[in-house]
Amino acid sequence: MSRFWSPVVHSLTPYVPGEQPKLDKLVKLNTNENPYPPSPRVLAAIQHELGADGDRLKLYSDPTGHALKAAVATRFGVPENWVFVGNSSDEVLAHTFQALLKHDAPLLFPDITYSFYPVYCGLYGIEFKTIPLDENFAIRVDDYLAPGAAQVGAVIFPNPNAPTGRLLPLAEIARLAAALPDSPIVVDEAYVDFGGVDSIPSAVALVREHPNVLVTQTLSKSRSLAGLRVGFAIGQPELIEALTRVKDSFNSYPLDRLALVGACAAIEDEAYFDQTRKQVIASREQLSQDLAGLGFEVLPSAANFVFARHPGRDAAQLAAALRERSIIVRHFKAARIDQFLRITVGTDAQCAQLVGALREILAA
């Protein structure tokens, strides 16, 4: 506490990111990073942008992010003015909360979800209401429509949800958007690229029909660029203009020159993206089977992590025992999920090391 703080600072409860420990021979399965490196085209693009002496770094980056917007628009088959880009999807979400989600009626989101949402609400003074997931930790659209649509200012949820990994079908998202036509519906798709092998269940498919739907994505997960910090949103121009007005009132140059060219290269290398995401999906299915074989209950996951609990062992103790073996997973102390572990899908070798450690711990 300090007498120099603005009043809002005293009331904030900041988001706590996943731990970034420095341990020898660490198997890091706690922050949902991709186990594979980014596309080789990313490195080539960054090296080209740097040139021999990095002279371009003395120049500001493109404040509009035109080339990146064009790459995203081409990738998703939408007009360029339907795209917004920012410094990570967290920044895109922050602008979204300020631009689209503060209304007289409360913002709705799941009771078990991305823990940054209530932080944004505290920062921007947004009234919110949490809607419980069902007994299987799934989102029920009908719960967002009762007692009446008139009491809904806006809705936001991850799809797949985090940390549960469960996917809400597109038909249900469309039903929600149609039932609440005057309320912004924000679908946070940080993990959607791991949702299916043959097709990706993105709500971008709904934005033409539903002008109230905004979809956010990140390059941190499926394109292995967590360290580059690039995110984007797709929606009709009315929504995108609101984000742009907030961005240009906050930071006109959110993405640096290296992030812009690296992100473009990652988006354009469709073959590498598809190869690595399918590798993660295959590893996830094997990990889920292996954990079930050890007696874990594993929720159906459409993300690059699994959410699992063991009926006979305390989750916090399991996490501590894994840490002693230099394997880090995420344990949440929140109600309803304090006996679950969220485990990032690593390489097959990392997953095998995790399963072997758990087998040893459970046998002790």
Side-chain angles (χ1 to χ4, degrees), residues 110-284:
D111 64 333
I112 300 170
T113 195
Y114 187 26
S115 54
F116 224 140
Y117 294 168
V119 175
Y120 290 136
C121 289
L123 179 61
Y124 297 125
I126 299 172
E127 180 186 357
F128 70 92
K129 179 181 178 182
T130 59
I131 307 299
L133 299 178
D134 70 12
E135 63 277 6
N136 297 313
F137 298 98
I139 293 173
R140 288 183 299 211
V141 164
D142 286 342
D143 293 341
Y144 289 77
L145 305 179
Q151 304 302 313
V152 179
V155 178
I156 185 171
F157 56 90
N159 200 43
N161 194 19
T164 64
R166 300 214 57 171
L167 185 73
L168 184 65
L170 286 184
E172 286 296 279
I173 300 174
R175 185 164 72 89
L176 177 66
L180 301 173
D182 297 321
S183 301
I185 309 296
V186 179
V187 187
D188 177 358
E189 293 187 340
Y191 303 100
V192 75
D193 292 326
F194 305 105
V197 174
D198 298 322
S199 63
I200 296 171
S202 174
V204 171
L206 304 178
V207 298
R208 289 188 183 275
E209 184 178 352
H210 299 281
N212 58 331
V213 171
L214 183 80
V215 180
T216 67
Q217 290 196 15
T218 177
L219 275 67
S220 293
K221 314 300 182 183
S222 59
R223 290 178 174 83
S224 306
L225 292 177
L228 211 57
R229 317 307 297 134
V230 179
F232 59 89
I234 296 176
Q236 292 197 20
E238 185 178 6
L239 304 181
I240 299 303
E241 181 183 355
L243 299 183
T244 302
R245 288 171 66 88
V246 169
K247 186 268 287 186
D248 286 341
S249 300
F250 174 74
N251 179 9
S252 294
Y253 300 93
L255 288 167
D256 64 60
R257 302 180 72 89
L258 304 185
L260 286 169
V261 298
C264 286
I267 289 172
E268 290 166 357
D269 194 348
E270 187 73 18
Y272 186 86
F273 157 76
D274 199 47
Q275 172 192 338
T276 54
R277 76 175 190 88
K278 286 179 177 177
Q279 287 176 326
V280 171
I281 291 171
S283 297
R284 179 189 70 208

Side-chain angles (χ1 to χ4, degrees), residues 10-32:
H10 291 273
S11 64
L12 293 178
T13 303
Y15 172 74
V16 179
E19 183 185 9
Q20 299 286 350
K22 294 179 173 60
L23 300 175
D24 292 337
K25 299 180 180 179
L26 177 68
V27 177
K28 190 172 181 296
L29 304 177
N30 68 323
T31 50
N32 300 338

Side-chain angles (χ1 to χ4, degrees), residues 334-354:
R336 295 186 69 191
I337 59 170
D338 61 347
Q339 289 306 308
F340 279 87
L341 296 176
R342 193 194 69 188
I343 304 169
T344 303
V345 177
T347 63
D348 287 341
Q350 290 174 325
C351 291
Q353 188 172 341
L354 167 77

